[in-house]
Amino acid sequence: MNPTPVSRSGRFAGGPAADVAAFTESISFDWRLWRQDIQGSLAHATMLRKIGVLTRAELGAITRGLNRIGREIAAGKFSWKPELEDVHMNIESELTRRVPAGAKLHTGRSRNDQVALDVRLWLRDEITALLGEIAELQRALVSLGGRHADVVIPGYTHLQRAQPVYLAHHLLAYVEMLGSDGARLRDCQARVNVCPLGSGALAGSTLPLDRKLAARLLGFVDAAGREQLTQNSMDGVSDRDFMIEFAAAAALLAVHLSRLAEDVILWVSAEFNYLKIADAYTTGSSLMPQKKNPDIAELARGKTGRVVGNLMALLTLLKGLPMTYNRDLQEDKERLFDTADTVRATTRLMAAMLRHTSVNRAACARAAGDPALLATDLADYLVRRGTPFRRAHHAVGAVVALAEKRGQRLNELTLAELQSVDKTFGRDALGVFDLSRAMAKRNQPGAPGTKEVAKQLARWRKQLSRD
Ligand code: ARG
């Protein structure tokens, strides 16, 4: 006979209809919370012992029983029963079957504060792991940029060649974006790190629960060691804002990964040819034998859709909910798991791919050698000689038009030709087109100049060796 869940015991004539059980179960996905569920139960039991609900012997039996169940789950030997709905009731039922004192474990606790606790514990660790992956990707970007510190490429606006930048500068832009992603996730983690245990179903308990003890045991403390407890039992069981914050920070991270992926996809195309991804990190075509496709980057771009979608799903899930816990909230977990899994895997694979990517220095040099990239420098030259910028901009525009008419590159014009446009041009004007001198000049904080980019690379290297 199928086991009847404890939640129906007494009040109900029997177990749920089979299709009801199938529709309402969550064990098929929330089994992933087993470690946190056991961790939470161990802390709750220790607290129940402290307030005299459990004897020492009972606590010992519960602890051993839970640990044994944990080992069986880890070894894949535990049989999950869908009729028992979820991870919480599966573990509790099995414990009680083996250990009579298990029947006391749920004292002063509801699955409502239990599930809120489990997801907070799970997400707290997940964020730490994701922060590690983000730092790895930042290191891969810094390393790629650092190994080719002298490589210059065109910087683009509107995807049109604009001004020269070091390749490292372009890559460091992503390091900055990922740095903000990390800061947002750390900030979110502080709000995840709050203990809801003791909120009960929605209205706490008449028993003298020691919420602070349970929180301490589970590591819900701030940097100063103060216990972090939810301050309203109704909010404690129905709040999923911490999850939405994570989903939002993850969605923005996914958008950043997607933009990086898009740059890589462009740069490995024959048209750009700045980068080459190693064979092991590319895929082939089933039809065209010559193809080598940047599928990791394409999937990174594509997966952004589901991560953004998960954020929308969670916001929509919460939108119309009356206080407090409603079963709708069970729908949060698949979105949460999917977001965490997707951004973690994507971040990791992008880092691995970049560690197996080489730079085509010749193609970069060819592209960066386009003197038109330094048209603005030529205008700055006139500004240094006292010409108002608007006039300088106009003059260099005329120089560009002249070169175009002649079918020449900007740096192939003679001094006489330059002077035919504006008398202010002197003998040294063509020196503007010396790329390495041009790069040396851009040294304001945050600029793509030689010294500044070296400084930024060094700053990030130092920062990332600490993370
Ligand atoms: N499986 C449920 C969830 O994921 C656990 C809480 C169930 N609570 C309840 N009162 N039915 O949300």
Side-chain angles (χ1 to χ4, degrees):
M1 204 190 79
N2 283 339
T4 303
V6 285
S7 58
R8 301 172 74 93
S9 179
R11 174 78 172 80
F12 293 78
D19 54 353
V20 173
F23 189 69
T24 55
E25 66 85 24
S26 55
I27 190 63
S28 54
F29 49 88
D30 69 10
W31 66 269
R32 285 182 67 164
L33 297 171
W34 68 267
R35 233 180 257 282
Q36 291 72 25
D37 201 68
I38 289 178
Q39 191 189 356
S41 287
L42 288 171
H44 185 63
T46 305
M47 185 276 289
L48 291 178
R49 162 72 196 127
K50 160 95 184 305
I51 64 168
V53 172
L54 296 178
T55 64
R56 248 178 74 175
E58 287 170 333
L59 173 61
I62 287 176
T63 304
R64 280 189 300 278
L66 285 172
N67 284 332
R68 182 161 309 147
I69 289 174
R71 283 195 297 275
E72 287 169 25
I73 298 172
K77 290 191 184 126
F78 188 81
S79 90
W80 300 105
K81 301 193 173 71
E83 316 82 64
L84 293 177
E85 279 186 26
D86 55 26
V87 65
H88 324 293
M89 289 207 292
N90 265 272
I91 292 177
E92 192 200 329
S93 303
E94 186 54 23
L95 175 72
T96 309
R97 202 181 62 76
R98 299 177 187 189
V99 178
K104 291 189 174 181
L105 179 60
H106 215 49
T107 309
R109 187 175 73 169
S110 154
R111 272 186 297 157
N112 298 352
D113 56 351
Q114 192 176 358
V115 71
L117 172 69
D118 291 3
V119 286
R120 282 175 183 271
L121 286 169
W122 185 86
L123 186 53
R124 192 174 68 183
D125 285 352
E126 200 58 35
I127 291 175
T128 301
L130 178 56
L131 289 170
E133 302 288 4
I134 291 174
E136 257 320 287
L137 176 54
Q138 288 179 302
R139 283 186 205 106
L141 286 160
V142 168
S143 152
L144 185 62
R147 270 182 284 135
H148 303 280
D150 57 332
V151 170
V152 179
I153 57 168
Y156 299 79
T157 64
H158 312 266
L159 204 56
Q160 303 290 318
R161 283 183 182 175
Q163 292 184 296
V165 295
Y166 281 104
L167 171 68
H169 189 65
H170 191 126
L171 298 176
L172 281 171
Y174 287 104
V175 177
E176 292 289 332
M177 288 146 83
L178 293 166
S180 306
D181 290 324
R184 265 183 292 274
L185 286 165
R186 270 186 213 97
D187 186 51
C188 156
Q189 197 178 33
R191 274 179 296 280
V192 172
N193 191 32
V194 184
C195 188
L197 201 58
S199 301
L202 77 161
S205 170
T206 59
L207 298 166
L209 306 179
D210 185 345
R211 292 195 63 202
K212 284 190 173 176
L213 171 61
R216 267 200 312 280
L217 290 171
L218 292 166
F220 286 106
V221 290
D222 67 7
R226 282 181 302 250
E227 298 90 356
Q228 304 295 297
L229 303 177
T230 54
Q231 296 295 318
N232 180 297
S233 63
M234 298 176 84
D235 188 39
V237 293
S238 63
D239 173 30
R240 295 293 183 274
D241 293 0
F242 63 91
M243 220 184 257
I244 292 181
E245 275 189 58
F246 170 72
L252 194 44
L253 166 63
V255 166
H256 293 159
L257 296 174
S258 181
R259 294 186 63 184
L260 172 58
E262 173 62 13
D263 275 345
V264 170
I265 292 163
L266 283 174
W267 289 359
V268 298
S269 69
E271 283 66 22
F272 279 82
N273 200 19
Y274 295 169
L275 298 183
K276 190 166 168 235
I277 304 170
D279 283 4
Y281 290 83
T282 56
T283 48
S285 156
S286 58
L287 183 103
M288 299 164 282
Q290 88 285 10
K291 290 293 290 296
K292 215 190 264 180
N293 298 326
D295 287 26
I296 295 177
E298 291 168 65
L299 282 167
R301 190 176 57 186
K303 283 177 190 292
T304 308
R306 59 201 269 179
V307 178
V308 172
N310 288 340
L311 170 62
M312 292 309 136
L314 287 173
L315 287 166
T316 311
L317 179 63
L318 266 285
K319 176 187 164 297
L321 285 192
M323 288 299 244
T324 50
Y325 178 85
N326 299 270
R327 191 61 176 270
D328 315 43
L329 289 176
Q330 182 167 291
E331 288 289 308
D332 62 359
K333 273 165 283 302
E334 286 163 294
R335 303 299 106 225
L336 175 68
F337 295 158
D338 186 62
T339 289
D341 293 345
T342 306
V343 292
R344 248 179 93 174
T346 308
T347 309
R348 187 170 61 248
L349 266 294
M350 287 293 283
M353 182 191 71
L354 289 174
R355 289 205 183 277
H356 293 85
T357 293
S358 56
V359 173
N360 183 343
R361 302 172 66 94
C364 293
R366 252 192 318 278
D370 178 354
L373 292 168
L374 294 169
T376 312
D377 294 45
L378 194 59
D380 289 347
Y381 167 92
L382 292 176
V383 167
R384 282 208 183 81
R385 301 193 147 207
T387 309
F389 180 73
R390 276 289 151 236
R391 256 187 54 204
H393 182 275
H394 175 86
V396 174
V399 169
V400 171
L402 179 67
E404 215 170 73
K405 210 167 77 193
R406 304 249 161 112
Q408 282 175 318
R409 284 156 69 97
L410 265 193
N411 58 346
E412 287 163 0
L413 293 172
T414 61
L415 177 58
E417 284 167 330
L418 287 178
Q419 285 180 338
S420 75
V421 173
D422 193 316
K423 293 264 170 301
T424 321
F425 285 117
R427 208 169 284 289
D428 53 348
L430 285 165
V432 160
F433 295 106
D434 179 327
L435 186 59
S436 67
R437 264 172 53 196
M439 296 315 288
K441 278 189 188 137
R442 300 160 146 79
N443 274 322
Q444 308 84 352
T450 313
K451 282 209 182 102
E452 181 61 15
V453 172
K455 215 159 87 187
Q456 296 285 351
L457 277 171
R459 178 173 72 82
W460 274 111
R461 265 195 210 107
K462 199 161 136 202
Q463 163 88 36
L464 290 166
S465 69
R466 275 192 249 116
D467 281 357

